Amino acid sequence: MNKALLAASVGLLLTGCSTYQAVTPVDRPDVSDAFAAFQPAGGGPRGNYGANGTLLCVVVNPVTGNDYVEAFRASLQQRNFEVKLVRPDASVAACPMVALYSARSAWYWTSYLSSVDITVFHNGDRVGKAIYNANRSAGGLNLSNLVQPASKLEELVEQLFPGMLPPPSAQAPTYAGPNT
């Protein structure tokens, strides 16, 4: 009897908590060329914003958190965005593309991403949004939210900008052979 009660209690603890994640991908009028979709008219496939690609200004919320902003930046740069951090009071029309970013971390055996809110604007219009909350529940124990923060941000950015991650380099590994 005691074992059954213990098993039921543990089961309730494990199922009582869940994460929440919702992503609305960034609208792209031309999905055949994801990069050209974000360029001003006549900008070309990589635009006029520099060698790394489309300029994406990031407005970091200083009040609710800016944890892991470097991991967010790295994930965007992998998709050939030229990322520029702008002042927290910058308008969503400050750049052709703007991402409002807010993230918080928490600690439970290790640091983890507690919540993220990313809203993407193109020419002042909202075109995509990602929300993640690891603690959105009535309580309980949930170990699924203890993923690496950079991995979770990478997942969210991939869902926001699907198909924009360049393929791995086509370089074949070379074999030097044994030393003789």
Side-chain angles (χ1 to χ4, degrees):
M1 178 71 171
N2 285 340
K3 288 182 183 181
L5 184 59
L6 179 63
S9 297
V10 169
L12 284 174
L13 279 173
L14 292 175
T15 59
C17 183
S18 64
T19 59
Y20 175 80
Q21 182 170 319
V23 179
T24 303
V26 171
D27 295 330
R28 294 189 322 231
D30 178 10
V31 294
S32 65
D33 186 351
F35 297 104
F38 297 120
Q39 300 303 319
R46 293 291 183 252
N48 300 321
Y49 297 116
N52 289 337
T54 302
L55 175 66
L56 188 126
C57 294
V58 175
V59 179
V60 177
N61 186 332
V63 176
T64 61
N66 61 3
D67 295 339
Y68 310 113
V69 72
E70 288 306 316
F72 178 59
R73 176 193 290 219
S75 187
L76 291 169
Q77 288 173 334
Q78 287 177 343
R79 287 157 180 80
N80 290 324
F81 284 108
E82 181 180 324
V83 180
K84 177 182 176 186
L85 295 178
V86 295
R87 295 187 339 261
D89 61 345
S91 163
V92 295
C95 298
M97 285 199 69
V98 175
L100 303 180
Y101 175 82
S102 178
R104 286 188 170 181
S105 64
W107 178 264
Y108 187 76
W109 290 326
T110 186
S111 181
Y112 69 95
L113 196 57
S114 173
S115 65
V116 176
D117 189 334
I118 304 167
T119 307
V120 180
F121 295 86
H122 184 237
N123 295 326
D125 295 326
R126 185 179 131 175
V127 293
K129 184 161 183 76
I131 299 173
Y132 172 77
N133 191 328
N135 300 322
R136 188 171 177 180
S137 69
L141 177 65
N142 180 8
L143 300 179
S144 68
N145 58 15
L146 298 180
V147 298
Q148 291 295 319
S151 297
K152 180 50 73 175
L153 284 166
E154 173 63 29
E155 176 186 327
L156 292 170
V157 170
E158 177 56 32
Q159 290 177 7
L160 266 174
F161 299 101
M164 289 189 66
L165 192 61
S169 127
Q171 237 178 10
T174 58
Y175 177 68
N179 291 338
T180 54

